Amino acid sequence: MTEPAPADLIHLEDTDGSRCIVRVTGRFQPDILTGHDILRADVLVSASFIDARLDVYLLRQDLGSWQQDLSDLRPGRQASIGGDRGLSLTLHMHEDGWLSITVEDPDRLTTLLGIRPEENWVNKHQERLQQVKQTWPSEVIETAPGSYEWSPDRKR
Protein backbone atom coordinates (compact mmCIF):
# COMPACT_ATOMS: atom_id res chain seq x y z
CA MET A 1 0.00 0.00 0.00
CA THR A 2 1.40 3.40 -0.92
CA GLU A 3 1.64 6.21 1.57
CA PRO A 4 -0.76 9.13 1.06
CA ALA A 5 0.70 12.42 -0.13
CA PRO A 6 1.43 15.00 2.59
CA ALA A 7 -1.50 17.28 3.43
CA ASP A 8 -1.49 20.79 4.89
CA LEU A 9 -3.46 21.00 8.12
CA ILE A 10 -2.56 24.70 8.41
CA HIS A 11 -1.56 26.89 5.50
CA LEU A 12 -1.42 30.60 6.21
CA GLU A 13 0.49 33.08 4.08
CA ASP A 14 0.26 36.68 3.04
CA THR A 15 1.36 38.88 0.15
CA ASP A 16 4.53 39.91 2.03
CA GLY A 17 5.81 36.33 1.85
CA SER A 18 5.26 35.43 5.50
CA ARG A 19 3.87 31.96 5.96
CA CYS A 20 3.13 29.29 8.52
CA ILE A 21 2.34 25.77 7.35
CA VAL A 22 1.71 22.58 9.30
CA ARG A 23 2.10 19.77 6.78
CA VAL A 24 1.10 16.29 7.92
CA THR A 25 3.50 13.80 6.36
CA GLY A 26 2.19 10.49 7.70
CA ARG A 27 1.81 8.22 10.67
CA PHE A 28 4.49 8.25 13.37
CA GLN A 29 4.75 4.45 13.67
CA PRO A 30 2.58 2.75 11.05
CA ASP A 31 1.29 -0.69 12.03
CA ILE A 32 2.44 -0.34 15.66
CA LEU A 33 -0.59 -0.03 17.94
CA THR A 34 0.84 2.62 20.28
CA GLY A 35 2.16 4.89 17.51
CA HIS A 36 -0.10 4.22 14.53
CA ASP A 37 -2.65 6.99 15.19
CA ILE A 38 -0.01 9.60 16.05
CA LEU A 39 0.68 11.82 13.04
CA ARG A 40 4.04 13.33 12.03
CA ALA A 41 4.04 16.87 10.70
CA ASP A 42 6.48 19.53 9.56
CA VAL A 43 5.98 23.09 10.74
CA LEU A 44 7.32 25.48 8.10
CA VAL A 45 7.70 29.09 9.18
CA SER A 46 9.14 31.83 7.02
CA ALA A 47 9.25 35.62 6.98
CA SER A 48 11.89 38.23 6.23
CA PHE A 49 13.67 37.32 9.49
CA ILE A 50 13.20 33.54 9.68
CA ASP A 51 13.09 30.36 7.62
CA ALA A 52 12.57 27.31 9.82
CA ARG A 53 11.39 23.73 9.60
CA LEU A 54 10.36 22.07 12.85
CA ASP A 55 8.73 18.74 13.75
CA VAL A 56 5.51 18.15 15.64
CA TYR A 57 3.65 14.97 16.52
CA LEU A 58 -0.13 15.23 16.61
CA LEU A 59 -2.39 13.04 18.71
CA ARG A 60 -6.07 12.52 17.90
CA GLN A 61 -6.88 14.77 20.88
CA ASP A 62 -4.83 17.56 19.23
CA LEU A 63 -7.00 17.35 16.12
CA GLY A 64 -10.16 17.44 18.22
CA SER A 65 -8.93 20.47 20.18
CA TRP A 66 -7.90 22.21 16.95
CA GLN A 67 -11.38 21.59 15.52
CA GLN A 68 -13.02 23.07 18.62
CA ASP A 69 -10.65 26.06 18.70
CA LEU A 70 -11.36 26.82 15.03
CA SER A 71 -15.10 26.65 15.66
CA ASP A 72 -14.80 29.13 18.56
CA LEU A 73 -12.29 31.47 16.90
CA ARG A 74 -13.22 35.14 16.67
CA PRO A 75 -11.42 38.42 17.38
CA GLY A 76 -9.79 38.35 20.80
CA ARG A 77 -9.72 34.52 20.93
CA GLN A 78 -7.05 32.04 19.96
CA ALA A 79 -6.59 28.59 18.49
CA SER A 80 -3.63 26.37 19.22
CA ILE A 81 -2.16 23.02 18.35
CA GLY A 82 0.60 21.02 19.99
CA GLY A 83 1.72 22.18 23.38
CA ASP A 84 2.65 20.19 26.43
CA ARG A 85 4.73 17.63 24.50
CA GLY A 86 7.01 20.08 22.70
CA LEU A 87 6.25 22.46 19.88
CA SER A 88 3.17 24.63 20.17
CA LEU A 89 1.58 26.89 17.60
CA THR A 90 -0.96 29.52 18.66
CA LEU A 91 -3.05 31.77 16.43
CA HIS A 92 -4.51 34.90 18.03
CA MET A 93 -7.15 36.70 15.98
CA HIS A 94 -7.30 40.49 16.13
CA GLU A 95 -10.27 42.79 15.47
CA ASP A 96 -8.73 44.04 12.21
CA GLY A 97 -8.43 40.53 10.72
CA TRP A 98 -4.72 40.07 11.41
CA LEU A 99 -3.39 36.94 13.07
CA SER A 100 -0.54 36.87 15.54
CA ILE A 101 1.07 33.45 15.18
CA THR A 102 3.35 32.25 17.95
CA VAL A 103 5.54 29.24 17.24
CA GLU A 104 7.35 27.92 20.28
CA ASP A 105 9.68 24.95 20.33
CA PRO A 106 11.15 25.05 23.85
CA ASP A 107 14.45 23.49 22.77
CA ARG A 108 15.04 25.44 19.56
CA LEU A 109 12.92 28.46 18.71
CA THR A 110 10.29 30.97 19.75
CA THR A 111 8.98 33.41 17.15
CA LEU A 112 6.00 35.61 16.46
CA LEU A 113 4.60 36.31 12.99
CA GLY A 114 1.87 38.66 11.87
CA ILE A 115 -0.16 37.43 8.91
CA ARG A 116 -3.30 38.81 7.33
CA PRO A 117 -4.97 35.67 5.95
CA GLU A 118 -7.51 35.51 3.14
CA GLU A 119 -11.11 36.20 4.05
CA ASN A 120 -12.53 32.66 4.33
CA TRP A 121 -9.50 31.04 5.94
CA VAL A 122 -11.26 29.47 8.96
CA ASN A 123 -13.69 27.50 6.77
CA LYS A 124 -10.83 26.37 4.53
CA HIS A 125 -8.91 25.18 7.57
CA GLN A 126 -11.89 23.21 8.82
CA GLU A 127 -11.92 21.52 5.40
CA ARG A 128 -8.17 20.88 5.69
CA LEU A 129 -8.74 19.24 9.08
CA GLN A 130 -11.43 16.95 7.63
CA GLN A 131 -9.08 16.00 4.78
CA VAL A 132 -6.33 15.05 7.25
CA LYS A 133 -8.79 12.97 9.29
CA GLN A 134 -9.99 11.18 6.13
CA THR A 135 -6.47 10.57 4.87
CA TRP A 136 -5.21 9.20 8.20
CA PRO A 137 -8.30 7.93 10.07
CA SER A 138 -8.12 6.70 13.63
CA GLU A 139 -7.56 2.94 13.46
CA VAL A 140 -6.66 2.09 17.06
CA ILE A 141 -9.01 1.68 20.02
CA GLU A 142 -7.90 2.06 23.64
CA THR A 143 -9.85 -0.72 25.37
CA ALA A 144 -8.49 0.09 28.84
CA PRO A 145 -5.81 2.48 30.08
CA GLY A 146 -2.63 1.40 28.27
CA SER A 147 -4.37 -1.43 26.38
CA TYR A 148 -4.94 -1.07 22.63
CA GLU A 149 -6.37 -3.03 19.73
CA TRP A 150 -7.05 -2.43 16.07
CA SER A 151 -10.41 -0.94 15.18
CA PRO A 152 -12.74 -3.31 13.31
CA ASP A 153 -13.04 -0.52 10.69
CA ARG A 154 -9.29 -0.52 10.02
CA LYS A 155 -8.43 -0.37 6.32
CA ARG A 156 -5.40 -2.41 5.35
Side-chain angles (χ1 to χ4, degrees):
M1 184 174 181
T2 61
E3 283 291 313
D8 290 352
L9 176 64
I10 299 172
H11 191 116
L12 297 165
E13 61 184 318
D14 63 20
T15 57
D16 294 333
S18 296
R19 69 182 181 139
C20 179
I21 298 169
V22 176
R23 182 166 292 145
V24 178
T25 58
R27 296 184 184 275
F28 171 54
Q29 294 176 314
D31 300 322
I32 297 174
L33 279 169
T34 55
H36 185 80
D37 277 356
I38 299 170
L39 301 178
R40 288 185 331 253
D42 294 330
V43 178
L44 309 166
V45 181
S46 62
S48 61
F49 59 92
I50 189 169
D51 190 15
R53 185 199 146 295
L54 304 163
D55 300 318
V56 67
Y57 295 92
L58 302 172
L59 304 176
R60 291 293 150 180
Q61 303 93 288
D62 296 327
L63 299 180
S65 294
W66 176 245
Q67 183 171 16
Q68 184 64 48
D69 284 357
L70 279 177
S71 296
D72 295 340
L73 193 60
R74 58 186 137 299
R77 307 278 314 256
Q78 61 187 33
S80 60
I81 198 158
D84 60 348
R85 297 175 318 279
L87 183 137
S88 67
L89 187 140
T90 304
L91 311 177
H92 180 85
M93 183 183 272
H94 298 277
E95 293 287 338
D96 60 3
W98 280 84
L99 289 176
S100 294
I101 302 171
T102 304
V103 179
E104 184 175 7
D105 183 335
D107 296 329
R108 300 191 289 176
L109 169 82
T110 298
T111 193
L112 178 67
L113 296 174
I115 291 181
R116 183 176 200 90
E118 58 188 46
E119 193 168 302
N120 200 18
W121 75 271
V122 172
N123 290 339
K124 289 183 180 178
H125 280 77
Q126 290 170 333
E127 291 169 8
R128 290 178 183 283
L129 173 61
Q130 292 312 312
Q131 181 61 44
V132 165
K133 286 180 169 184
Q134 288 173 1
T135 303
W136 295 281
S138 178
E139 297 180 333
V140 177
I141 299 170
E142 187 170 10
T143 56
S147 180
Y148 304 92
E149 64 183 46
W150 295 112
S151 166
D153 299 330
R154 181 172 186 225
K155 298 175 183 168
R156 292 185 177 241

